[in-house]
Amino acid sequence: MKVPEKYYDEVFDFKGQWDVPSRCGLKILACDGKTYIMATELYQDNPGTSVTYTGYSLLKQICESKGLAEKDAVYLECNPDTNSKLSFYDEEIFQVTFPETGGDEGRPGYRRLSSGEIKSLFP
């Protein structure tokens, strides 16, 4: 399953769980005074930890690497369409909030973006 490059502008190398070398697709957008950071799962092109299992650590690494302020960032997680017959490979983009950035205590919160929200961010 090769992920189409329309989902990201660059490949970002990061430290996954237990510092395992990992990769994701990365797209950064400025819109309405906010910085949207979208990490895209690369499936077989990622030798390490999934973006879902890295969570806040990935957001922190991206912000540090790109000189962005976490407090101004809206973190999005993309599971791209891979044209698979299996429904869990359908395209989904989630806005993720972390306890460290003001989300619910204890675990990340996920809100699936509607097709309209996706189109407004990525025309």
Side-chain angles (χ1 to χ4, degrees), residues 34-37 55-75 96-102:
K34 297 178 183 177
T35 301
Y36 290 86
I37 297 172
Y56 178 67
S57 173
L58 177 55
L59 171 62
K60 191 172 175 179
Q61 290 177 63
I62 293 168
C63 287
E64 287 173 4
S65 173
K66 303 297 182 181
L68 302 170
E70 285 178 40
K71 66 178 179 60
D72 298 330
V74 177
Y75 183 75
V96 185
T97 54
F98 302 102
E100 297 87 347
T101 60

Side-chain angles (χ1 to χ4, degrees), residues 16-120:
Q17 291 178 327
W18 305 287
D19 291 338
V20 171
S22 304
R23 307 178 99 193
C24 69
L26 179 62
K27 185 180 284 280
I28 299 173
L29 300 160
C31 184
D32 298 328
K34 297 178 183 177
T35 301
Y36 290 86
I37 297 172
M38 186 166 77
T40 298
E41 183 58 61
L42 295 180
Y43 302 116
Q44 80 272 12
D45 290 331
N46 176 9
T49 307
S50 164
V51 297
T52 300
Y53 295 119
T54 307
Y56 178 67
S57 173
L58 177 55
L59 171 62
K60 191 172 175 179
Q61 290 177 63
I62 293 168
C63 287
E64 287 173 4
S65 173
K66 303 297 182 181
L68 302 170
E70 285 178 40
K71 66 178 179 60
D72 298 330
V74 177
Y75 183 75
L76 305 175
E77 187 176 294
C78 176
N79 297 314
D81 181 10
T82 58
N83 298 314
S84 172
K85 293 179 183 178
L86 302 173
S87 64
F88 58 84
Y89 286 120
D90 287 349
E91 178 179 284
E92 295 179 317
I93 298 177
F94 294 92
Q95 181 175 337
V96 185
T97 54
F98 302 102
E100 297 87 347
T101 60
D104 291 337
E105 287 197 31
R107 62 177 184 246
Y110 289 83
R111 183 182 68 81
R112 185 177 180 179
L113 272 59
S114 69
S115 59
E117 288 174 301
I118 294 168
K119 286 178 184 173
S120 72

